[in-house]
């Protein structure tokens, strides 16, 4: 991934340099050449009017210059159009020096008196600006020799025929005069060349200095990021030992003094961990590496965890802590749960920290935008010291604490709220502050999130807290004496922590200190779950995991493997998902986090739930199992596959939307914009609409998100040969993953959708990824995609065909049929006459009874048809052939904008 990003940065830099050269070439070309030609024509016309001898149109020189001008214009266009400046610029320069300049000089009756040598200076400037290094010297040399030749020719002509000198009242110039004129020309050219070259050199040096500074800054940022990431990893390892073993101490029935010391150690360890996380996050934000991981999460579970975490801190300060949750808050949302937790914990923690007496309250409200999106509003109110009005602008500045003199006794780095602001902005939300100094403050955070489950959360009881002593009574959540667990870590202290934290669950734990030792164990024994450290010498956890998965004769190929790592860098979740881990835990780990993770990956028959909240645990286990168990293969496709929403949901096909760009903005295909509204917009405004397929980054983000639900992805893509196809970007994105495959269907619309349906059925039958790919590749040639189009107006509007072609076909009442042949859109049959007549002929031809048509399903995908139109089409289909299921599907807006109303297609498969 790092290599690909550097490659992209280089491509962007090269592209910018090419763009600058293009603009410079265009600027000097459209300035110098037109002025030269204009001067030539005006002077010649004037001379022919003053001394009429022949018609201007009969003048050979004018015809030569006209043809030359056309060639210069053509070569300039080709140079820019095909990025071939290095080819055509020298050609233009030769034309300039060898043809245009001599013609310009020849318009003057005498080079000495007219000053026409100035044109050589102009061409010198052109050469200096366009060329560099050796080629610049070459062309300047050619120009100098050519100028000398012109001077020599004129001198010889004047010397041999002095009567030809036009100014008879003046002395005929001698050799000294010519040499003086040529020397003046040479000196002026030299001065101009020096000044322009020096200026360009200074500019180039300045640009080089800026580039080097940027590279140094990038290098420093990368070094800083590596340092913070390394520091985080190195510090988390001993903290894991401190917090883990300290938790074991707190479980034991020790003396009150020991319990108090252990509680203080635990609090200090968590504070140090929080500080490390803040510094690491700020480093990511400053370097632009902070990314969001959008996944479904349970709102009730998240809020309970936050309240349980902060309730004790409030109670220690004798503060009242209350929570109000709107009953209409959805049970499940899609967002970055970890970052939302971080935002709320930072704000609530600040409120508790700066409140000496009174209360702190958290309220959550839901403002639904539509069925899929909602604004979740989190409000944190305290009765603390408040914030001065003049300090509010600096509230979110990193490392700055407002009212420092008054707050110097309060611990903190000044990073918390700056990180909150950055995270809220990254999520597309906003944060506002209302505060009265000495009275208290209210922080309001709004974050837009997608709704995953429409069911409301109802009334939550957030007051189920008992007074907590320094030592919390520990109860293991489950027992599994027959479960076998392998822990792999190169640090002996970490192995000890893991073993002690899980000791009460009675699982059979085996520990090893290296990847090689782990492979020996997995060859000899079966383990239900393997906890694997990432960074280990000789063989890291990722390499070890892959070897276990592919170990010949190994007994743990299908065991759950969980990354147990101190690598807390951004993108770790995507890294472990992409590599094939079933889950991951970041050190330092707690007993409850390890138990929950282990319980979620053990077979249910091995687990016996314990403790007083058994019913709640059973419900949690049931939900966790449903979330954690990944499908072997997930089928994905694009919105242009024109699948009914309910059918895609039923078959578990996940859809990536294309984008539709209008003058009103950019919208997600089929989600934020619908077909009829888009067609009306185009018709009323006579405006073109651009459709955009997702780029590489969008595909990578989509695939990474879907890998949370499956071990493998088969992406059914639109034909790569169709204009604006997303297939190339999908294939490039898939290279970043070992378990994502992209199939170029060679089809679009519901033809692509039919292949997605077949792939989904194969996945449900338990077929492997390679089996599904092989079958879909076979079915490509059995899929038939075609549309009969009412006219070509919309294709012309979007510049797919020339407008005059659209006008001709419309005036002749031509109804073309667009069909996919070898992945390319082509015009097939053309029908003449009324729409109804064309439809009837199209249906009769496509549904030929002699063809081995698969009659299980037929798609009728249409654009801008009425119910009456669809009824007629249905009747004509039924009169020819019967199908088990006929699906009438509106084409996606991205398809509709290129076809226009009155279009429909019959899409089906044949049995051979």
């Amino acid at each position: 991934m790092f290599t690909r990003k550097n490659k992209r940065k280089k491509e962007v830099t090269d592209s910018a340099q090419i763009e600058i050269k293009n603009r410079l070439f265009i600027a000097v070309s459209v300035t110098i050449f037109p002025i030269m030609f204009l001067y030539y024509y005006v002077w010649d016309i004037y001379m022919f009017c003053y001394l009429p001898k022949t018609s201007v149109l009969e003048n050979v020189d004018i015809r030569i210059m006209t043809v030359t001008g056309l060639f210069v214009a053509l070569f300039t266009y080709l140079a820019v159009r095909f990025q071939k400046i290095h080819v055509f610029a020298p050609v233009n320069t030769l034309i300039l020096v060898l043809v245009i300049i001599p013609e310009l000089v020849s318009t003057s009756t005498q080079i000495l008196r007219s000053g026409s040598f100035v044109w050589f200076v102009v061409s010198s400037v052109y050469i200096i600006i366009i060329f560099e290094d050796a080629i610049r010297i070459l062309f300047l040399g050619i120009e100098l020799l050519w100028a000398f030749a012109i001077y020599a020719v004129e001198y010889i002509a004047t010397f041999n025929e002095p009567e030809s000198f036009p100014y008879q009242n003046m002395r005929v110039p001698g050799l000294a005069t010519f040499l003086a004129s040529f020397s003046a020309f040479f000196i002026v050219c030299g001065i101009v060349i020096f000044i322009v070259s020096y200026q360009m050199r200074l500019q180039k040096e300045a640009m080089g200095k800026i580039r080097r500074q940027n590279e140094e800054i990038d290098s420093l940022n990368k070094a800083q990021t590596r340092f913070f990431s390394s520091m985080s990893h190195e510090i988390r390892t001993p903290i894991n030992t401190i917090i883990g073993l300290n938790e074991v101490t707190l479980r034991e029935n020790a003396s009150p003094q020991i319990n108090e010391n252990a509680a203080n150690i635990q609090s200090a360890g968590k504070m140090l961990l929080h500080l490390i996380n803040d510094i690491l996050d700020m480093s990511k934000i400053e370097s632009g590496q902070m990314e969001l991981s959008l996944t479904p999460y349970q709102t009730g579970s998240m809020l309970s965890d936050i309240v349980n975490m902060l309730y004790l801190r409030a109670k220690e300060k004798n503060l009242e802590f209350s929570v109000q949750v709107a009953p209409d808050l959805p049970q499940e949302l899609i967002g970055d749960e970890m970052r939302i937790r971080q935002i709320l914990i930072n704000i609530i923690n600040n409120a508790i920290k700066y409140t000496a007496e009174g209360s702190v309250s958290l309220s959550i409200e839901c403002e639904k935008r539509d069925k899929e999106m909602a604004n979740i509003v989190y409000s944190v109110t305290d009765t603390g010291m408040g914030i001065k009005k003049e300090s509010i602008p600096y509230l979110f500045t990193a490392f700055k604490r407002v009212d420092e003199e008054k707050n110097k006794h309060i611990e903190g780095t000044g990073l918390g709220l700056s990180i909150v602001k950055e995270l809220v902005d990254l999520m597309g939300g906003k944060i506002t502050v209302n505060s009265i100094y000495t009275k208290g403050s209210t922080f309001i955070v709004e974050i837009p999130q997608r709704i995953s489950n429409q069911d409301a959360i109802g009334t939550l009881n957030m007051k189920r807290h008992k007074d907590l002593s320094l030592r919390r009574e520990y109860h293991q959540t489950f027992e599994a004496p027959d479960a076998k667990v392998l822990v792999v870590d190169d640090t002996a202290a970490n192995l000890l922590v893991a073993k002690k934290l899980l000791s009460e669950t009675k699982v059979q734990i085996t520990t090893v200190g290296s990847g090689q030792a782990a492979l020996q164990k997995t060859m000899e024994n079966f383990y239900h779950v393997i906890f694997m450290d990432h960074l280990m010498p000789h063989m890291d956890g990722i390499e070890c995991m892959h070897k276990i998965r592919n170990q010949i004769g190994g007994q743990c190929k299908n065991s759950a493997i969980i990354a147990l790592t101190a690598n807390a860098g951004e993108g770790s979740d995507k890294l472990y998902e992409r590599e094939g881990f079933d889950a991951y835990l970041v050190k330092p780990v707690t007993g409850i986090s390890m138990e929950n993770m282990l319980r979620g990956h053990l077979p249910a028959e091995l687990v016996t739930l314990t403790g007083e909240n058994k019913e709640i645990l059973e419900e949690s286990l049931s939900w966790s199992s449903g979330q954690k168990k990944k499908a072997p293969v997930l089928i994905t496709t694009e919105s242009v596959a024109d699948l009914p929403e309910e059918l895609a949901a039923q078959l578990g096909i996940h859809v990536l939307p294309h984008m539709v760009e209008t003058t009103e903005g950019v919208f997600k295909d089929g989600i934020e914009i619908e077909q009829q509204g888009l067609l009306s917009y185009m018709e009323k405004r006579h405006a073109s609409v651009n459709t955009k397929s997702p780029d590489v980054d969008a595909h990578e983000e989509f695939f990474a998100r879907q890998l949370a639900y499956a071990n493998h992805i088969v992406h059914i893509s639109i034909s790569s040969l169709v204009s604006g196809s997303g297939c190339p970007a999908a294939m490039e994105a898939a290279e970043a993953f070992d378990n994502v495959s992209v199939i170029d269907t060679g089809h679009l619309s519901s033809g692509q959708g039919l292949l997605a349906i077949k792939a989904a059925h194969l996945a449900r039958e338990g077929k492997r990824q390679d089996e599904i790919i092989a079958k879909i590749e076979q079915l490509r040639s059995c899929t038939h995609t075609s549309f009969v189009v009412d006219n070509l107006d919309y294709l012309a509007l979007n510049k797919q065909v020339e407008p005059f072609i659209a006008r001709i076909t419309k005036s002749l009442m031509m109804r073309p049929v667009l069909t996919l042949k070898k992945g390319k859109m082509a015009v097939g049959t053309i029908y003449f006459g009324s729409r109804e007549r064309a439809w009837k002929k199209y249906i009769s031809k496509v549904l030929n009874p002699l063809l081995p048509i698969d009659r299980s399903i037929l798609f009728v995908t249409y654009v801008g048809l009425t119910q009456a139109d669809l009824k007629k089409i249905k009747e004509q289909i039924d009169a020819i052939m019967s199908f088990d299921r006929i699906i009438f599907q509106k084409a996606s807006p991205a398809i509709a904008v290129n076809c226009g109303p009155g279009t429909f297609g019959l899409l089906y498969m044949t049995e051979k």
Side-chain angles (χ1 to χ4, degrees), residues 501-783:
L501 289 178
L502 294 175
S503 61
E504 298 297 323
T505 62
K506 299 182 181 178
V507 297
Q508 301 175 38
I509 300 175
T510 302
T511 59
V512 292
S514 68
Q516 194 60 46
L519 291 175
Q520 293 174 3
K521 290 292 184 182
T522 55
M523 178 64 76
E524 300 167 359
N525 306 297
F526 169 75
Y527 298 98
H528 296 96
V529 176
I530 300 173
F531 286 104
M532 180 75 67
D533 185 29
H534 178 187
L535 299 178
M536 296 185 292
H538 308 301
M539 182 189 300
D540 69 16
I542 293 176
E543 182 184 355
C544 184
M545 183 272 295
H546 285 303
K547 288 190 175 182
I548 290 173
R549 295 286 192 214
N550 299 296
Q551 192 175 36
I552 298 174
Q555 300 189 44
C556 298
K557 289 183 179 181
N558 298 313
S559 298
I561 303 180
I562 299 165
L564 187 60
T565 177
N567 182 17
E570 191 65 35
S572 295
D573 52 348
K574 293 179 182 178
L575 169 67
Y576 297 128
E577 285 178 5
R578 184 166 65 245
E579 293 296 339
F581 284 94
D582 293 273
Y584 83 105
L585 277 174
V586 176
K587 298 173 185 174
V589 296
T590 62
I592 193 64
S593 65
M594 284 199 77
E595 286 186 19
N596 288 340
M597 184 64 74
L598 181 59
R599 189 181 69 237
H601 288 86
L602 286 175
E605 61 272 14
L606 297 180
V607 176
T608 301
L609 299 173
T610 61
E612 55 188 29
N613 292 323
K614 186 174 179 179
E615 292 181 1
I616 297 174
L617 286 171
E618 285 177 345
E619 181 182 351
S620 172
L621 180 60
S622 172
W623 175 82
S624 174
S625 299
Q627 292 292 318
K628 293 290 183 183
K629 188 171 179 60
K630 295 181 179 180
V633 181
L634 178 68
I635 305 302
T636 63
T637 189
E638 302 153 281
S639 59
V640 290
D642 288 336
L643 284 172
E645 220 174 292
E646 61 277 7
L647 181 60
Q650 179 186 343
L651 295 174
I653 300 172
H654 292 207
V655 178
L656 174 63
H658 280 224
M659 307 303 290
V660 178
E661 184 179 23
T662 72
T663 55
E664 303 296 325
V666 180
F667 306 93
K668 289 183 180 178
D669 180 27
I671 297 175
E672 299 173 339
I673 193 167
E674 52 87 28
Q675 181 197 107
Q676 192 56 48
L678 184 60
L679 293 176
S680 299
Y681 165 83
M682 294 178 69
E683 185 176 349
K684 289 177 182 177
R685 302 197 180 190
H686 199 67
S688 62
V689 170
N690 294 324
T691 58
K692 293 183 177 180
S693 58
D695 60 14
V696 175
D697 291 337
H699 276 95
E700 284 185 359
E701 184 181 342
F702 176 73
F703 291 149
R705 211 163 50 236
Q706 304 315 312
L707 284 171
Y709 309 106
N711 293 321
H712 299 279
I713 290 175
V714 176
H715 185 68
I716 309 298
S717 180
I718 189 173
S719 172
S720 61
L721 301 178
V722 172
S723 176
S725 170
C727 187
M731 288 183 168
E732 185 178 343
E735 293 176 2
F737 304 88
D738 291 331
N739 45 1
V740 176
S741 301
V742 177
I743 298 179
D744 179 357
T745 62
H747 292 271
L748 52 70
S749 188
S750 299
Q752 175 187 351
L754 280 168
L755 291 168
I757 291 171
K758 289 291 185 183
H761 283 302
L762 292 169
R764 287 195 159 198
E765 292 169 9
K767 300 294 184 184
R768 298 193 313 272
Q769 183 184 22
D770 56 341
E771 293 175 327
I772 294 172
I773 294 170
K775 184 64 177 176
I776 297 302
E777 291 288 353
Q778 292 176 6
L779 292 174
R780 286 177 46 179
S781 59
C782 301
T783 306

Side-chain angles (χ1 to χ4, degrees), residues 464-477:
R464 295 178 302 180
H465 302 285
K466 300 177 181 179
D467 289 344
L468 301 176
S469 61
L470 291 172
R471 185 184 68 83
R472 299 182 183 183
E473 187 176 353
Y474 166 76
H475 293 286
Q476 72 273 26
T477 57

Side-chain angles (χ1 to χ4, degrees), residues 806-857:
R807 288 194 294 271
I808 291 172
T809 56
K810 193 172 184 179
S811 62
L812 295 176
M813 296 183 69
M814 298 168 64
R815 320 283 179 185
V817 175
L818 303 179
T819 184
L820 266 291
K821 293 181 179 179
K822 295 183 179 180
K824 292 183 178 180
M825 182 67 75
V827 176
T829 309
I830 297 177
Y831 299 109
F832 292 85
S834 66
R835 174 195 283 190
E836 289 74 15
R837 182 174 180 275
W839 287 2
K840 190 172 182 179
K841 285 185 172 292
Y842 168 71
I843 294 171
S844 298
K845 182 176 181 180
V846 172
L847 299 182
N848 189 339
L850 298 178
L851 293 174
I853 296 175
D854 179 3
R855 302 194 182 190
S856 62
I857 185 170

Side-chain angles (χ1 to χ4, degrees), residues 35-62:
I35 290 174
M36 285 181 169
F37 285 116
L38 181 63
Y39 170 84
Y40 180 83
Y41 286 124
V42 170
W43 181 261
D44 258 22
I45 290 171
Y46 168 76
M47 290 300 293
F48 276 104
C49 290
Y50 182 67
L51 298 171
K53 293 180 181 179
T54 59
S55 169
V56 174
L57 297 177
E58 293 176 1
N59 188 284
V60 175
D61 290 341
I62 285 187

Side-chain angles (χ1 to χ4, degrees), residues 146 289 489 681:
W146 193 241
Q289 295 179 353
D489 199 305
Y681 165 83

Side-chain angles (χ1 to χ4, degrees), residues 358-464:
S359 65
V360 174
S361 66
L362 167 67
S363 70
I364 300 97
E365 297 178 357
C366 176
E367 299 174 355
K368 290 188 177 180
R369 295 183 184 178
D370 50 43
K371 291 183 179 180
E372 294 187 345
M373 291 295 295
N375 262 353
I376 310 301
V377 183
Y378 308 91
S379 301
V380 178
T381 302
D382 63 66
T383 58
M385 62 183 65
I387 306 164
K388 292 179 179 179
K389 187 176 181 180
E390 60 270 20
S391 298
I392 289 179
Y394 306 103
L395 197 59
F396 301 109
T397 303
F399 302 104
K400 183 174 179 65
R401 301 177 68 192
V402 299
D403 209 356
E404 183 73 34
E405 186 63 31
K406 190 171 183 179
N407 300 328
K408 61 184 179 182
H409 63 283
I410 298 176
E411 62 186 16
T413 61
L415 282 175
L417 288 180
S418 62
I419 292 172
V420 166
K421 179 69 166 63
E422 294 288 350
L423 290 175
V424 171
D425 289 345
L426 194 62
M427 293 179 183
K430 64 178 182 178
I431 181 169
T432 55
V433 183
N434 301 319
S435 184
I436 300 175
Y437 191 54
T438 73
K439 299 293 183 182
S441 307
T442 299
F443 285 76
I444 303 170
V445 176
E446 296 182 35
I447 301 175
Q449 297 175 66
R450 191 168 293 279
I451 300 171
S452 178
N453 186 340
Q454 294 282 353
D455 294 341
I457 197 169
T459 303
L460 282 183
N461 180 13
M462 288 290 181
K463 296 182 179 179
R464 295 178 302 180

Side-chain angles (χ1 to χ4, degrees), residues 858-910:
L858 171 71
F859 269 94
V860 181
T861 306
Y862 63 92
V863 180
L865 297 184
T866 65
Q867 289 299 318
D869 293 331
L870 298 177
K871 186 177 179 183
K872 288 179 184 178
I873 294 169
K874 175 74 163 55
E875 290 171 353
Q876 291 177 26
I877 293 171
D878 290 340
I880 298 173
M881 192 175 293
S882 60
F883 288 86
D884 297 339
R885 186 177 185 186
I886 299 178
I887 297 176
F888 287 87
Q889 174 65 24
K890 274 188 179 182
S892 67
I895 296 290
V897 296
N898 292 310
C899 298
T903 298
F904 79 92
L906 302 180
L907 302 98
Y908 59 86
M909 285 186 172
T910 55

